[in-house]
Amino acid sequence: LVVNRICLRRPDVQHRLCSTKPPNPWSPMYPENQKRREFIEKIIRVDHAGELGAIRIYDGQLAVLKNSEYGSKIQEMRDQEQHHLDTFSKLVSERRVRPTALSPLWNIGAYAMGMSTALLGKEAAMACTEAVEDVISEHYNDQLRDLMEKYPEDAELRDIIRQFRDEEQEHQHTAIEHHSQQAPMYSLLYPAIKGVTKAAVWVATRV
């Protein structure tokens, strides 16, 4: 009788005392899960934004280079990024994560970056890809280390990030194989794009 009264009055203990179902790890009624939720939300939010940006970069490149010898390879990488975005969009919905408020800026800025580098030539477009994928690969590695240290039980998210990290590294290697380092002003272009990408990642974790 006492337990039943507690169940009626205290929804925060219903799962522990009154239900055979496991507690929902995302429920806000469990304060001990709040820190974990905020941590995971940051990861999903920034990765969702990053994959959106990657697609728009490739869209900008394809607007210039679709019919070039590099067009099919750019399209192939773009299709892979679409799968990444679809996966994170599903996680955003399932785990009720607020997407970044800067999505409109990502759409415009990333597309402009892709198109402007492509206008410099196909090697410059590949230099852009190399720089962006370098940052994203490092970013995914950092997330994997943090997940293993803090919340190793989230195997689903960890496996997704590990797979996507490997594919981003493949894109980086593809860009190098397609003469990214022969781009005009490569020594200036590469660090500049890396800097912009790192700044975008930093902002997306917070806004």
Side-chain angles (χ1 to χ4, degrees), residues 42-107:
K42 273 189 174 182
I43 288 180
I44 295 174
R45 181 180 301 114
V46 68
D47 291 352
H48 180 262
E51 297 300 347
L52 173 62
I55 286 175
R56 295 301 288 159
I57 287 172
Y58 286 126
D59 284 343
Q61 292 177 349
L62 286 168
V64 178
L65 300 172
K66 183 175 182 179
N67 296 320
S68 75
E69 59 185 305
Y70 286 5
S72 60
K73 181 55 67 175
I74 294 172
Q75 183 66 56
E76 179 183 322
M77 293 189 288
R78 194 255 185 230
D79 291 344
Q80 206 162 37
E81 300 292 359
Q82 184 66 58
H83 169 64
H84 296 181
L85 178 61
D86 291 345
T87 301
F88 278 115
S89 294
K90 183 180 178 184
L91 288 176
V92 163
S93 176
E94 289 177 346
R95 303 199 186 192
R96 299 182 180 180
V97 176
R98 175 187 61 79
T100 178
L102 299 178
S103 292
L105 181 61
W106 261 230
N107 267 304

Short mmCIF file of all heavy atoms in Angstrom, two decimals, residues 42-107:
data_model
loop_
_atom_site.label_atom_id
_atom_site.label_comp_id
_atom_site.label_asym_id
_atom_site.label_seq_id
_atom_site.Cartn_x
_atom_site.Cartn_y
_atom_site.Cartn_z
N LYS A 42 25.13 17.28 -27.17
CA LYS A 42 26.17 18.08 -27.81
C LYS A 42 26.79 17.32 -28.97
O LYS A 42 27.04 17.87 -30.05
CB LYS A 42 27.25 18.46 -26.80
CG LYS A 42 26.99 19.71 -26.02
CD LYS A 42 28.23 20.08 -25.21
CE LYS A 42 28.04 21.42 -24.52
NZ LYS A 42 29.25 21.82 -23.77
N ILE A 43 27.08 16.04 -28.75
CA ILE A 43 27.70 15.22 -29.79
C ILE A 43 26.78 15.12 -31.00
O ILE A 43 27.20 15.35 -32.15
CB ILE A 43 28.04 13.82 -29.24
CG1 ILE A 43 29.23 13.90 -28.28
CG2 ILE A 43 28.33 12.85 -30.38
CD1 ILE A 43 29.63 12.57 -27.69
N ILE A 44 25.53 14.78 -30.76
CA ILE A 44 24.60 14.58 -31.87
C ILE A 44 24.35 15.90 -32.60
O ILE A 44 24.30 15.95 -33.84
CB ILE A 44 23.29 13.96 -31.38
CG1 ILE A 44 23.56 12.54 -30.84
CG2 ILE A 44 22.25 13.91 -32.49
CD1 ILE A 44 22.37 11.88 -30.19
N ARG A 45 24.22 16.98 -31.85
CA ARG A 45 23.94 18.28 -32.46
C ARG A 45 25.08 18.71 -33.40
O ARG A 45 24.85 19.09 -34.54
CB ARG A 45 23.73 19.35 -31.39
CG ARG A 45 23.42 20.74 -31.98
CD ARG A 45 23.21 21.77 -30.89
NE ARG A 45 22.12 21.39 -30.03
CZ ARG A 45 22.24 21.06 -28.74
NH1 ARG A 45 23.43 21.09 -28.17
NH2 ARG A 45 21.20 20.72 -28.03
N VAL A 46 26.31 18.65 -32.92
CA VAL A 46 27.43 19.12 -33.73
C VAL A 46 27.68 18.18 -34.91
O VAL A 46 28.02 18.63 -36.00
CB VAL A 46 28.70 19.29 -32.87
CG1 VAL A 46 29.24 17.95 -32.37
CG2 VAL A 46 29.77 20.04 -33.65
N ASP A 47 27.48 16.89 -34.72
CA ASP A 47 27.71 15.95 -35.82
C ASP A 47 26.63 16.09 -36.89
O ASP A 47 26.92 15.98 -38.09
CB ASP A 47 27.78 14.53 -35.30
CG ASP A 47 29.02 14.28 -34.46
OD1 ASP A 47 29.89 15.17 -34.41
OD2 ASP A 47 29.13 13.20 -33.85
N HIS A 48 25.42 16.31 -36.47
CA HIS A 48 24.33 16.56 -37.42
C HIS A 48 24.64 17.81 -38.24
O HIS A 48 24.51 17.82 -39.47
CB HIS A 48 23.02 16.71 -36.65
CG HIS A 48 21.83 16.98 -37.51
ND1 HIS A 48 21.32 18.24 -37.70
CD2 HIS A 48 21.04 16.14 -38.24
CE1 HIS A 48 20.27 18.18 -38.49
NE2 HIS A 48 20.08 16.92 -38.84
N ALA A 49 25.08 18.87 -37.57
CA ALA A 49 25.42 20.11 -38.27
C ALA A 49 26.60 19.91 -39.21
O ALA A 49 26.63 20.43 -40.33
CB ALA A 49 25.75 21.21 -37.26
N GLY A 50 27.59 19.13 -38.75
CA GLY A 50 28.78 18.89 -39.57
C GLY A 50 28.46 18.13 -40.84
O GLY A 50 28.99 18.44 -41.92
N GLU A 51 27.59 17.14 -40.75
CA GLU A 51 27.24 16.37 -41.94
C GLU A 51 26.40 17.21 -42.91
O GLU A 51 26.54 17.07 -44.13
CB GLU A 51 26.49 15.09 -41.54
CG GLU A 51 27.31 14.13 -40.69
CD GLU A 51 28.57 13.62 -41.37
OE1 GLU A 51 28.72 13.81 -42.60
OE2 GLU A 51 29.42 13.04 -40.68
N LEU A 52 25.56 18.08 -42.36
CA LEU A 52 24.83 19.01 -43.22
C LEU A 52 25.80 19.91 -43.97
O LEU A 52 25.68 20.13 -45.18
CB LEU A 52 23.86 19.85 -42.39
CG LEU A 52 23.15 20.99 -43.13
CD1 LEU A 52 22.28 20.45 -44.26
CD2 LEU A 52 22.31 21.82 -42.15
N GLY A 53 26.80 20.44 -43.25
CA GLY A 53 27.80 21.29 -43.88
C GLY A 53 28.58 20.56 -44.95
O GLY A 53 28.86 21.12 -46.02
N ALA A 54 28.94 19.30 -44.68
CA ALA A 54 29.70 18.53 -45.66
C ALA A 54 28.91 18.35 -46.96
O ALA A 54 29.46 18.49 -48.07
CB ALA A 54 30.06 17.16 -45.07
N ILE A 55 27.63 18.04 -46.84
CA ILE A 55 26.79 17.88 -48.03
C ILE A 55 26.74 19.17 -48.84
O ILE A 55 26.85 19.17 -50.07
CB ILE A 55 25.37 17.45 -47.63
CG1 ILE A 55 25.39 15.98 -47.21
CG2 ILE A 55 24.38 17.65 -48.78
CD1 ILE A 55 24.06 15.49 -46.67
N ARG A 56 26.60 20.30 -48.15
CA ARG A 56 26.50 21.57 -48.86
C ARG A 56 27.83 21.95 -49.52
O ARG A 56 27.84 22.57 -50.59
CB ARG A 56 26.03 22.66 -47.89
CG ARG A 56 24.64 22.43 -47.37
CD ARG A 56 23.62 22.37 -48.51
NE ARG A 56 23.41 23.69 -49.08
CZ ARG A 56 22.93 23.92 -50.29
NH1 ARG A 56 22.63 22.91 -51.10
NH2 ARG A 56 22.75 25.16 -50.72
N ILE A 57 28.94 21.58 -48.91
CA ILE A 57 30.24 21.80 -49.56
C ILE A 57 30.30 21.02 -50.87
O ILE A 57 30.68 21.56 -51.92
CB ILE A 57 31.40 21.38 -48.63
CG1 ILE A 57 31.55 22.40 -47.50
CG2 ILE A 57 32.71 21.28 -49.42
CD1 ILE A 57 32.53 21.99 -46.43
N TYR A 58 29.91 19.75 -50.82
CA TYR A 58 29.94 18.93 -52.03
C TYR A 58 28.93 19.44 -53.07
O TYR A 58 29.20 19.39 -54.28
CB TYR A 58 29.67 17.47 -51.70
CG TYR A 58 30.84 16.79 -51.03
CD1 TYR A 58 30.70 16.13 -49.82
CD2 TYR A 58 32.12 16.82 -51.60
CE1 TYR A 58 31.78 15.50 -49.20
CE2 TYR A 58 33.20 16.21 -50.99
CZ TYR A 58 33.02 15.54 -49.79
OH TYR A 58 34.09 14.94 -49.18
N ASP A 59 27.79 19.95 -52.61
CA ASP A 59 26.83 20.53 -53.54
C ASP A 59 27.44 21.72 -54.28
O ASP A 59 27.25 21.88 -55.50
CB ASP A 59 25.57 20.98 -52.80
CG ASP A 59 24.66 19.83 -52.39
OD1 ASP A 59 24.83 18.73 -52.94
OD2 ASP A 59 23.80 20.04 -51.52
N GLY A 60 28.17 22.55 -53.54
CA GLY A 60 28.84 23.69 -54.16
C GLY A 60 29.90 23.27 -55.16
O GLY A 60 30.05 23.86 -56.23
N GLN A 61 30.64 22.23 -54.82
CA GLN A 61 31.66 21.72 -55.74
C GLN A 61 31.03 21.14 -57.00
O GLN A 61 31.52 21.35 -58.11
CB GLN A 61 32.51 20.66 -55.02
CG GLN A 61 33.38 21.22 -53.91
CD GLN A 61 34.15 20.14 -53.18
OE1 GLN A 61 33.90 18.95 -53.35
NE2 GLN A 61 35.09 20.55 -52.34
N LEU A 62 29.93 20.41 -56.81
CA LEU A 62 29.27 19.79 -57.96
C LEU A 62 28.65 20.83 -58.89
O LEU A 62 28.55 20.60 -60.11
CB LEU A 62 28.19 18.81 -57.48
CG LEU A 62 28.71 17.50 -56.89
CD1 LEU A 62 27.59 16.75 -56.19
CD2 LEU A 62 29.33 16.63 -57.98
N ALA A 63 28.26 21.96 -58.35
CA ALA A 63 27.72 23.02 -59.20
C ALA A 63 28.73 23.49 -60.23
O ALA A 63 28.36 23.95 -61.32
CB ALA A 63 27.27 24.21 -58.34
N VAL A 64 30.01 23.32 -59.92
CA VAL A 64 31.08 23.75 -60.83
C VAL A 64 31.71 22.56 -61.56
O VAL A 64 32.02 22.64 -62.75
CB VAL A 64 32.16 24.52 -60.04
CG1 VAL A 64 33.32 24.92 -60.96
CG2 VAL A 64 31.57 25.74 -59.35
N LEU A 65 31.88 21.45 -60.84
CA LEU A 65 32.70 20.35 -61.35
C LEU A 65 31.92 19.08 -61.70
O LEU A 65 32.53 18.04 -61.96
CB LEU A 65 33.78 20.00 -60.32
CG LEU A 65 34.76 21.12 -59.95
CD1 LEU A 65 35.64 20.70 -58.78
CD2 LEU A 65 35.62 21.49 -61.16
N LYS A 66 30.60 19.17 -61.74
CA LYS A 66 29.80 17.96 -61.96
C LYS A 66 30.20 17.21 -63.22
O LYS A 66 30.24 15.98 -63.25
CB LYS A 66 28.32 18.33 -62.02
CG LYS A 66 27.40 17.13 -62.17
CD LYS A 66 25.94 17.54 -62.10
CE LYS A 66 25.03 16.33 -62.21
NZ LYS A 66 23.59 16.71 -62.12
N ASN A 67 30.51 17.93 -64.29
CA ASN A 67 30.83 17.29 -65.56
C ASN A 67 32.32 17.14 -65.80
O ASN A 67 32.75 16.79 -66.90
CB ASN A 67 30.21 18.10 -66.71
CG ASN A 67 28.69 18.12 -66.64
OD1 ASN A 67 28.07 17.10 -66.33
ND2 ASN A 67 28.09 19.27 -66.90
N SER A 68 33.12 17.38 -64.76
CA SER A 68 34.57 17.22 -64.88
C SER A 68 34.96 15.78 -64.58
O SER A 68 34.12 14.95 -64.20
CB SER A 68 35.28 18.16 -63.91
OG SER A 68 35.18 17.67 -62.58
N GLU A 69 36.23 15.49 -64.72
CA GLU A 69 36.71 14.15 -64.42
C GLU A 69 36.59 13.80 -62.94
O GLU A 69 36.63 12.62 -62.56
CB GLU A 69 38.19 14.03 -64.84
CG GLU A 69 39.11 15.03 -64.13
CD GLU A 69 40.53 14.99 -64.66
OE1 GLU A 69 41.12 13.88 -64.64
OE2 GLU A 69 41.03 16.04 -65.09
N TYR A 70 36.43 14.81 -62.08
CA TYR A 70 36.29 14.57 -60.65
C TYR A 70 34.82 14.50 -60.21
O TYR A 70 34.53 14.22 -59.04
CB TYR A 70 36.97 15.67 -59.84
CG TYR A 70 38.48 15.62 -59.85
CD1 TYR A 70 39.18 14.71 -60.62
CD2 TYR A 70 39.22 16.49 -59.05
CE1 TYR A 70 40.57 14.66 -60.63
CE2 TYR A 70 40.61 16.46 -59.04
CZ TYR A 70 41.27 15.55 -59.84
OH TYR A 70 42.64 15.52 -59.84
N GLY A 71 33.90 14.77 -61.13
CA GLY A 71 32.49 14.87 -60.77
C GLY A 71 31.93 13.62 -60.12
O GLY A 71 31.23 13.69 -59.10
N SER A 72 32.23 12.46 -60.69
CA SER A 72 31.66 11.22 -60.16
C SER A 72 32.20 10.91 -58.77
O SER A 72 31.47 10.40 -57.90
CB SER A 72 31.95 10.05 -61.11
OG SER A 72 33.35 9.86 -61.28
N LYS A 73 33.47 11.22 -58.54
CA LYS A 73 34.06 10.97 -57.22
C LYS A 73 33.46 11.91 -56.17
O LYS A 73 33.17 11.50 -55.04
CB LYS A 73 35.57 11.13 -57.28
CG LYS A 73 36.28 10.87 -55.95
CD LYS A 73 35.96 9.51 -55.36
CE LYS A 73 36.51 8.37 -56.20
NZ LYS A 73 36.27 7.04 -55.53
N ILE A 74 33.27 13.17 -56.53
CA ILE A 74 32.64 14.11 -55.61
C ILE A 74 31.22 13.66 -55.29
O ILE A 74 30.79 13.70 -54.13
CB ILE A 74 32.64 15.53 -56.19
CG1 ILE A 74 34.08 16.05 -56.31
CG2 ILE A 74 31.83 16.48 -55.31
CD1 ILE A 74 34.19 17.37 -57.06
N GLN A 75 30.49 13.21 -56.30
CA GLN A 75 29.13 12.73 -56.09
C GLN A 75 29.12 11.52 -55.17
O GLN A 75 28.24 11.39 -54.30
CB GLN A 75 28.48 12.38 -57.42
CG GLN A 75 27.02 11.94 -57.31
CD GLN A 75 26.12 13.05 -56.82
OE1 GLN A 75 26.06 14.13 -57.42
NE2 GLN A 75 25.39 12.81 -55.73
N GLU A 76 30.08 10.64 -55.35
CA GLU A 76 30.17 9.44 -54.50
C GLU A 76 30.38 9.83 -53.03
O GLU A 76 29.72 9.27 -52.13
CB GLU A 76 31.33 8.57 -54.98
CG GLU A 76 31.55 7.30 -54.18
CD GLU A 76 32.76 6.53 -54.67
OE1 GLU A 76 32.98 6.48 -55.89
OE2 GLU A 76 33.50 5.97 -53.82
N MET A 77 31.26 10.78 -52.78
CA MET A 77 31.51 11.22 -51.40
C MET A 77 30.28 11.94 -50.85
O MET A 77 29.92 11.79 -49.68
CB MET A 77 32.75 12.10 -51.34
CG MET A 77 34.04 11.35 -51.65
SD MET A 77 35.55 12.30 -51.33
CE MET A 77 35.50 13.50 -52.69
N ARG A 78 29.63 12.72 -51.71
CA ARG A 78 28.42 13.42 -51.29
C ARG A 78 27.32 12.44 -50.88
O ARG A 78 26.63 12.65 -49.89
CB ARG A 78 27.94 14.31 -52.44
CG ARG A 78 26.90 15.34 -52.02
CD ARG A 78 25.53 14.93 -52.51
NE ARG A 78 24.55 15.98 -52.20
CZ ARG A 78 23.39 15.74 -51.59
NH1 ARG A 78 23.05 14.52 -51.24
NH2 ARG A 78 22.56 16.73 -51.33
N ASP A 79 27.16 11.35 -51.64
CA ASP A 79 26.15 10.35 -51.31
C ASP A 79 26.44 9.70 -49.96
O ASP A 79 25.51 9.39 -49.19
CB ASP A 79 26.10 9.28 -52.40
CG ASP A 79 25.54 9.82 -53.71
OD1 ASP A 79 24.93 10.90 -53.71
OD2 ASP A 79 25.74 9.15 -54.75
N GLN A 80 27.71 9.49 -49.67
CA GLN A 80 28.08 8.90 -48.38
C GLN A 80 27.75 9.87 -47.25
O GLN A 80 27.27 9.46 -46.18
CB GLN A 80 29.57 8.55 -48.37
CG GLN A 80 29.92 7.43 -47.41
CD GLN A 80 31.27 6.82 -47.74
OE1 GLN A 80 32.21 7.51 -48.14
NE2 GLN A 80 31.40 5.52 -47.56
N GLU A 81 28.00 11.15 -47.47
CA GLU A 81 27.66 12.15 -46.46
C GLU A 81 26.15 12.23 -46.25
O GLU A 81 25.69 12.50 -45.14
CB GLU A 81 28.20 13.53 -46.86
CG GLU A 81 29.70 13.62 -47.04
CD GLU A 81 30.49 13.48 -45.75
OE1 GLU A 81 29.86 13.32 -44.67
OE2 GLU A 81 31.72 13.52 -45.80
N GLN A 82 25.38 11.99 -47.30
CA GLN A 82 23.92 11.98 -47.15
C GLN A 82 23.48 10.88 -46.21
O GLN A 82 22.57 11.07 -45.38
CB GLN A 82 23.25 11.80 -48.52
CG GLN A 82 21.72 11.87 -48.45
CD GLN A 82 21.22 13.24 -48.06
OE1 GLN A 82 21.52 14.23 -48.73
NE2 GLN A 82 20.46 13.33 -46.96
N HIS A 83 24.13 9.72 -46.31
CA HIS A 83 23.83 8.63 -45.38
C HIS A 83 24.18 9.05 -43.96
O HIS A 83 23.43 8.76 -43.01
CB HIS A 83 24.61 7.38 -45.78
CG HIS A 83 24.57 6.29 -44.74
ND1 HIS A 83 23.42 5.65 -44.37
CD2 HIS A 83 25.56 5.76 -43.96
CE1 HIS A 83 23.68 4.77 -43.42
NE2 HIS A 83 24.97 4.82 -43.15
N HIS A 84 25.31 9.73 -43.78
CA HIS A 84 25.69 10.21 -42.45
C HIS A 84 24.63 11.16 -41.90
O HIS A 84 24.22 11.04 -40.74
CB HIS A 84 27.04 10.94 -42.51
CG HIS A 84 28.19 10.08 -42.90
ND1 HIS A 84 29.48 10.57 -42.99
CD2 HIS A 84 28.27 8.77 -43.23
CE1 HIS A 84 30.29 9.60 -43.35
NE2 HIS A 84 29.57 8.49 -43.51
N LEU A 85 24.19 12.10 -42.73
CA LEU A 85 23.20 13.07 -42.28
C LEU A 85 21.89 12.39 -41.94
O LEU A 85 21.26 12.72 -40.92
CB LEU A 85 22.97 14.14 -43.36
CG LEU A 85 21.91 15.19 -43.03
CD1 LEU A 85 22.30 15.99 -41.79
CD2 LEU A 85 21.70 16.13 -44.22
N ASP A 86 21.46 11.46 -42.77
CA ASP A 86 20.20 10.74 -42.50
C ASP A 86 20.28 10.01 -41.16
O ASP A 86 19.31 9.97 -40.40
CB ASP A 86 19.90 9.75 -43.61
CG ASP A 86 19.55 10.43 -44.93
OD1 ASP A 86 19.24 11.63 -44.92
OD2 ASP A 86 19.60 9.74 -45.97
N THR A 87 21.45 9.43 -40.87
CA THR A 87 21.63 8.71 -39.61
C THR A 87 21.53 9.65 -38.42
O THR A 87 20.84 9.36 -37.43
CB THR A 87 22.98 7.98 -39.60
OG1 THR A 87 23.05 7.07 -40.69
CG2 THR A 87 23.18 7.21 -38.29
N PHE A 88 22.21 10.79 -38.50
CA PHE A 88 22.16 11.73 -37.38
C PHE A 88 20.79 12.41 -37.28
O PHE A 88 20.34 12.74 -36.18
CB PHE A 88 23.28 12.76 -37.49
CG PHE A 88 24.59 12.26 -36.97
CD1 PHE A 88 25.67 12.09 -37.83
CD2 PHE A 88 24.75 11.93 -35.64
CE1 PHE A 88 26.88 11.61 -37.35
CE2 PHE A 88 25.95 11.44 -35.15
CZ PHE A 88 27.02 11.29 -36.01
N SER A 89 20.11 12.59 -38.40
CA SER A 89 18.75 13.14 -38.35
C SER A 89 17.82 12.18 -37.59
O SER A 89 16.95 12.61 -36.82
CB SER A 89 18.22 13.37 -39.77
OG SER A 89 18.93 14.39 -40.42
N LYS A 90 18.03 10.90 -37.80
CA LYS A 90 17.24 9.90 -37.08
C LYS A 90 17.54 9.96 -35.58
O LYS A 90 16.62 9.89 -34.76
CB LYS A 90 17.55 8.50 -37.62
CG LYS A 90 16.72 7.40 -36.99
CD LYS A 90 17.08 6.05 -37.58
CE LYS A 90 16.30 4.92 -36.91
NZ LYS A 90 16.70 3.59 -37.41
N LEU A 91 18.81 10.12 -35.23
CA LEU A 91 19.18 10.23 -33.81
C LEU A 91 18.61 11.51 -33.20
O LEU A 91 18.18 11.51 -32.04
CB LEU A 91 20.70 10.21 -33.66
CG LEU A 91 21.39 8.87 -33.90
CD1 LEU A 91 22.91 9.03 -33.79
CD2 LEU A 91 20.91 7.82 -32.91
N VAL A 92 18.62 12.60 -33.96
CA VAL A 92 18.04 13.86 -33.48
C VAL A 92 16.57 13.64 -33.12
O VAL A 92 16.09 14.11 -32.08
CB VAL A 92 18.17 14.96 -34.55
CG1 VAL A 92 17.24 16.13 -34.26
CG2 VAL A 92 19.61 15.46 -34.61
N SER A 93 15.85 12.91 -33.95
CA SER A 93 14.43 12.66 -33.71
C SER A 93 14.22 11.68 -32.56
O SER A 93 13.43 11.94 -31.65
CB SER A 93 13.78 12.11 -34.98
OG SER A 93 12.44 11.75 -34.76
N GLU A 94 14.95 10.58 -32.58
CA GLU A 94 14.76 9.54 -31.56
C GLU A 94 15.14 10.02 -30.16
O GLU A 94 14.48 9.69 -29.18
CB GLU A 94 15.61 8.31 -31.91
CG GLU A 94 15.10 7.52 -33.11
CD GLU A 94 16.00 6.37 -33.45
OE1 GLU A 94 17.15 6.29 -32.94
OE2 GLU A 94 15.57 5.52 -34.26
N ARG A 95 16.19 10.81 -30.08
CA ARG A 95 16.67 11.26 -28.76
C ARG A 95 16.26 12.70 -28.44
O ARG A 95 16.71 13.26 -27.46
CB ARG A 95 18.19 11.09 -28.69
CG ARG A 95 18.64 9.66 -28.97
CD ARG A 95 20.03 9.40 -28.47
NE ARG A 95 20.54 8.09 -28.84
CZ ARG A 95 21.63 7.55 -28.33
NH1 ARG A 95 22.34 8.21 -27.43
NH2 ARG A 95 22.03 6.36 -28.71
N ARG A 96 15.42 13.24 -29.29
CA ARG A 96 14.83 14.56 -29.05
C ARG A 96 15.90 15.63 -28.79
O ARG A 96 15.87 16.35 -27.80
CB ARG A 96 13.84 14.50 -27.88
CG ARG A 96 12.68 13.54 -28.14
CD ARG A 96 11.70 13.51 -27.01
NE ARG A 96 10.60 12.59 -27.29
CZ ARG A 96 9.58 12.36 -26.47
NH1 ARG A 96 9.52 13.01 -25.32
NH2 ARG A 96 8.64 11.51 -26.80
N VAL A 97 16.82 15.70 -29.72
CA VAL A 97 17.91 16.66 -29.64
C VAL A 97 17.55 17.90 -30.45
O VAL A 97 17.04 17.79 -31.57
CB VAL A 97 19.22 16.05 -30.19
CG1 VAL A 97 20.35 17.07 -30.21
CG2 VAL A 97 19.61 14.83 -29.35
N ARG A 98 17.82 19.07 -29.90
CA ARG A 98 17.59 20.31 -30.64
C ARG A 98 18.72 20.50 -31.65
O ARG A 98 19.88 20.58 -31.25
CB ARG A 98 17.56 21.50 -29.68
CG ARG A 98 17.43 22.84 -30.39
CD ARG A 98 17.56 24.00 -29.43
NE ARG A 98 18.84 24.02 -28.75
CZ ARG A 98 19.97 24.48 -29.28
NH1 ARG A 98 20.00 24.90 -30.54
NH2 ARG A 98 21.09 24.48 -28.57
N PRO A 99 18.42 20.60 -32.94
CA PRO A 99 19.48 20.87 -33.93
C PRO A 99 20.07 22.26 -33.70
O PRO A 99 19.49 23.11 -33.04
CB PRO A 99 18.74 20.79 -35.27
CG PRO A 99 17.48 20.06 -34.99
CD PRO A 99 17.11 20.40 -33.58
N THR A 100 21.23 22.48 -34.27
CA THR A 100 21.85 23.79 -34.15
C THR A 100 20.94 24.87 -34.74
O THR A 100 20.27 24.66 -35.74
CB THR A 100 23.22 23.84 -34.85
OG1 THR A 100 23.75 25.17 -34.75
CG2 THR A 100 23.11 23.48 -36.32
N ALA A 101 20.94 26.02 -34.09
CA ALA A 101 20.15 27.15 -34.57
C ALA A 101 20.76 27.79 -35.81
O ALA A 101 20.14 28.65 -36.44
CB ALA A 101 20.00 28.19 -33.47
N LEU A 102 21.97 27.36 -36.16
CA LEU A 102 22.69 27.99 -37.27
C LEU A 102 22.58 27.23 -38.58
O LEU A 102 23.37 27.47 -39.50
CB LEU A 102 24.16 28.17 -36.88
CG LEU A 102 24.42 29.05 -35.66
CD1 LEU A 102 25.90 29.10 -35.35
CD2 LEU A 102 23.88 30.46 -35.88
N SER A 103 21.62 26.32 -38.68
CA SER A 103 21.48 25.54 -39.92
C SER A 103 21.38 26.40 -41.18
O SER A 103 22.01 26.07 -42.20
CB SER A 103 20.26 24.61 -39.82
OG SER A 103 20.48 23.60 -38.86
N PRO A 104 20.62 27.50 -41.17
CA PRO A 104 20.58 28.34 -42.38
C PRO A 104 21.94 28.89 -42.77
O PRO A 104 22.28 28.97 -43.95
CB PRO A 104 19.61 29.47 -41.99
CG PRO A 104 18.75 28.88 -40.92
CD PRO A 104 19.66 27.97 -40.14
N LEU A 105 22.74 29.26 -41.77
CA LEU A 105 24.08 29.76 -42.05
C LEU A 105 24.97 28.65 -42.60
O LEU A 105 25.77 28.88 -43.52
CB LEU A 105 24.69 30.33 -40.77
CG LEU A 105 26.09 30.93 -40.88
CD1 LEU A 105 26.11 32.11 -41.85
CD2 LEU A 105 26.59 31.38 -39.50
N TRP A 106 24.81 27.45 -42.06
CA TRP A 106 25.57 26.29 -42.55
C TRP A 106 25.25 26.06 -44.03
O TRP A 106 26.13 25.79 -44.82
CB TRP A 106 25.19 25.04 -41.74
CG TRP A 106 26.13 24.67 -40.66
CD1 TRP A 106 26.68 23.43 -40.43
CD2 TRP A 106 26.65 25.51 -39.63
NE1 TRP A 106 27.49 23.47 -39.32
CE2 TRP A 106 27.50 24.74 -38.82
CE3 TRP A 106 26.50 26.86 -39.32
CZ2 TRP A 106 28.18 25.26 -37.72
CZ3 TRP A 106 27.17 27.39 -38.22
CH2 TRP A 106 27.99 26.59 -37.45
N ASN A 107 23.97 26.12 -44.38
CA ASN A 107 23.55 25.90 -45.76
C ASN A 107 24.26 26.85 -46.72
O ASN A 107 24.79 26.43 -47.75
CB ASN A 107 22.03 26.11 -45.87
CG ASN A 107 21.25 24.81 -45.71
OD1 ASN A 107 21.48 23.84 -46.41
ND2 ASN A 107 20.34 24.80 -44.76
#
